[in-house]
Amino acid sequence: MAYINNNRDKLQEDVRQLQQRLRYRNADAVDCLELSLALERLNAFEDFAKSAMAILKLSVPDPVTQESV
């Protein structure tokens, strides 16, 4: 779970940084491509994580009830 959470956080941070960069300057084709690729990496990892968690029967505890979801 630590691997999945750390990688998801890193990929989300990459997307956030690229989005911030686009806000403060004129975007060109390379900027758009970088953001598009970062979003695709995040989406692909989300699919991988979902499949891996299903295969390994991992679950994230529900913070309200402290039960696995």
Side-chain angles (χ1 to χ4, degrees), residues 4-64:
I4 291 172
N5 289 333
N6 289 335
N7 275 343
R8 182 182 297 124
D9 289 346
K10 181 189 173 300
L11 292 169
Q12 287 173 340
E13 180 63 20
D14 289 346
V15 169
R16 190 192 64 76
Q17 284 180 353
L18 289 166
Q19 288 172 334
Q20 286 288 82
R21 202 179 307 163
L22 289 176
R23 285 188 188 140
Y24 297 114
R25 68 177 189 186
N26 291 332
D28 61 4
V30 174
D31 292 327
C32 294
L33 182 59
E34 285 178 339
L35 179 56
S36 178
L37 290 171
L39 287 167
E40 284 303 313
R41 281 191 299 270
L42 178 59
N43 290 335
F45 184 79
E46 291 288 344
D47 289 342
F48 159 77
K50 187 174 163 184
S51 297
M53 288 172 59
I55 290 169
L56 298 173
K57 295 185 170 106
L58 296 174
S59 60
V60 178
D62 183 8
V64 175

